[in-house]
Amino acid sequence: MKVDFLIVGQGLAGSLLAHFLEKKGASIFVIDPDGEGSASRRAAGLINPVTGRYFVKSWRVDELIPFARETYQSLEALLGGSFYHERCILRALGSPKEENDWLSRAGDPGYQQYMGDHAPAGDFQNLLYPTLAYGQTLQSAQLNVAVFLGFYQKYLMRKNWLSKNKFHYDELIRRDGGITYQDIQAKAVLFCEGFGAVKNPFFNYLPFRGDKGEALIVRVPEANFDQIVKQNNTFIAPLENDLYWIGATYEWHFDNDAPTEKARLELLDRLDTVLKMPYEVIEHWAAIRPTVKDRRPFLGQHPQFPQLWIFNGLGTKGASLAPFWANHLSEAILNDSALDPEVSIERFKQ
């Protein structure tokens, strides 16, 4: 089989990179051993323009959010599915200082399109324990990542562009002008492996940090709540069929990606201080996010082997970061254009 590009990994990074390469006329083939436990499939998929205790705009949000919206909506049309939802994030303001800080920031001309005034607390009195006030985050959204990846996986399978086998690095042969892997010949291989890249012998020199996150899926019958809440450092994000994503924890030191009783109890304790209605825990998820110390993605070409590329390090904001940077990388690969130095792996010397 001859293709232009072999992509390893069908998480958010790999799927979107495949999409933009195909859109620009390149032929692709994807290898992914199912990936049901990957960080992409466990993510809440929140697109949040204002974050942190000081209510600061996310990095390059003015570019990222419009591009993400257009990309996901076009993918819904292409794939015939529903997985992108524009939803207000309600930020609990628990003290007069927090409320004043929110209102002050919302009055800044650079923030007005992303921050609204108060949301009426009475609208949530049957669902949530009371807080002083709620601020409304505008232009926020939620990507149901698992649903999107499921649709895209079916799309690839219909075209015979997907293998669900494990990738074996020792079977990759570099040659002039391309690579050979088993029966596949390609111009280049593009690694989009998430935290699995720490085992990649070509790119494991990059300073992957990684953090383990755990979340719960709970059923809250008849809550009928279609917005996202952040209260007591906990997100409550709607899914479907009365299910809600609750999370997440952050753990920098971990032995594996298995769910832990410690994190489960922490999440339940936090949820019980926010949610008044009875709920049922359906699932407990854990995954390792591919994070980077400087909180910028990894994009680029191997310094010694030009046939090898990487797209990784999307971290906790993958839903907003992935579309813009996947397109950016596709242009660099196809047109030999320069990568933005903020994301290029050239910022880390081997």
Side-chain angles (χ1 to χ4, degrees):
M1 177 194 305
K2 288 187 177 182
V3 295
D4 290 324
F5 301 105
L6 173 62
I7 298 173
V8 180
Q10 197 247 311
L12 200 51
S15 296
L16 287 165
L17 184 56
H19 168 66
F20 283 111
L21 287 169
E22 184 204 356
K23 188 176 179 180
K24 292 175 172 63
S27 59
I28 58 164
F29 191 80
V30 180
I31 296 178
D32 187 294
D34 205 13
E36 287 302 319
S38 72
S40 286
R41 287 168 172 80
R42 301 308 195 201
L46 302 184
I47 297 176
N48 185 4
V50 178
T51 61
R53 66 177 67 181
Y54 300 113
F55 312 131
V56 176
K57 281 200 300 186
S58 295
W59 174 65
R60 297 180 71 158
V61 69
D62 297 332
E63 299 170 277
L64 297 175
I65 284 187
F67 196 90
R69 180 188 302 118
E70 180 182 353
T71 298
Y72 293 132
Q73 289 176 344
S74 68
L75 279 164
E76 284 186 322
L78 172 69
L79 302 175
S82 175
F83 40 78
Y84 174 76
H85 310 283
E86 294 189 348
R87 289 188 168 122
C88 177
I89 296 177
L90 302 173
R91 179 72 177 261
L93 307 171
S95 69
K97 182 181 185 306
E98 276 193 315
E99 183 181 23
N100 289 336
D101 289 347
W102 179 274
L103 295 174
S104 176
R105 183 74 80 183
D108 185 321
Y111 282 76
Q112 288 176 351
Q113 63 179 317
Y114 301 118
M115 298 177 69
D117 292 336
H118 295 100
D123 292 353
F124 327 118
Q125 60 184 356
N126 294 327
L127 179 69
L128 307 173
Y129 285 109
T131 190
L132 178 63
Y134 291 96
Q136 297 187 75
T137 306
L138 310 177
Q139 297 200 46
S140 50
Q142 182 181 7
L143 175 71
N144 191 323
V145 184
V147 172
F148 161 59
L149 295 180
F151 272 104
Y152 198 72
Q153 183 180 91
K154 291 176 183 177
Y155 174 81
L156 293 171
M157 292 177 69
R158 285 196 302 269
K159 293 178 173 286
N160 294 317
W161 291 351
L162 176 68
S163 168
K164 288 190 173 185
N165 294 311
K166 182 179 179 181
F167 184 84
H168 299 279
Y169 300 103
D170 58 355
E171 296 184 37
L172 177 64
I173 301 171
R174 301 184 306 277
R175 54 182 175 77
D176 290 341
I179 62 98
T180 298
Y181 178 76
Q182 296 180 354
D183 64 342
I184 300 170
Q185 294 184 16
K187 296 176 183 177
V189 57
L190 317 176
F191 291 105
C192 306
E193 304 162 286
F195 192 68
V198 297
K199 298 179 181 178
N200 185 316
F202 305 107
F203 289 102
N204 59 7
Y205 72 91
L206 292 171
F208 284 96
R209 184 170 66 178
D211 74 80
K212 183 176 180 179
E214 301 191 40
L216 302 176
I217 305 299
V218 304
R219 177 176 285 118
V220 189
E222 300 180 1
N224 299 320
F225 192 71
D226 63 355
Q227 300 182 77
I228 302 162
V229 170
K230 184 179 184 184
Q231 188 166 330
N232 191 23
N233 203 33
T234 300
F235 278 103
I236 302 176
L239 297 174
E240 52 191 12
N241 301 321
D242 293 329
L243 297 180
Y244 294 81
W245 184 96
I246 311 298
T249 63
Y250 295 85
E251 180 62 49
W252 309 114
H253 304 287
F254 48 85
D255 297 321
N256 54 52
D257 62 355
T260 64
E261 180 68 5
K262 176 184 175 182
R264 187 184 75 87
L265 293 175
E266 177 186 338
L267 289 165
L268 290 173
D269 182 63
R270 283 157 48 179
L271 182 59
D272 287 341
T273 67
V274 177
L275 186 65
K276 288 199 299 186
M277 298 183 69
Y279 62 86
E280 175 189 5
V281 176
I282 303 300
E283 292 185 75
H284 177 192
W285 287 350
I288 300 174
R289 310 175 184 96
T291 54
V292 183
K293 186 176 181 179
D294 65 3
R295 301 185 181 183
R296 303 290 182 262
F298 287 143
L299 279 69
Q301 192 172 26
H302 194 279
Q304 292 178 280
F305 311 126
Q307 312 96 323
L308 310 181
W309 294 75
I310 190 169
F311 181 31
N312 209 310
L314 296 175
T316 61
K317 298 181 180 179
S320 57
L321 292 170
F324 184 91
W325 295 114
N327 181 63
H328 182 72
L329 181 58
S330 70
E331 291 179 350
I333 293 170
L334 294 173
N335 303 324
D336 197 27
S337 57
L339 287 168
D340 188 308
E342 283 198 275
V343 299
S344 171
I345 60 172
E346 290 186 6
R347 69 192 194 271
F348 303 108
K349 299 300 181 182
Q350 187 172 6

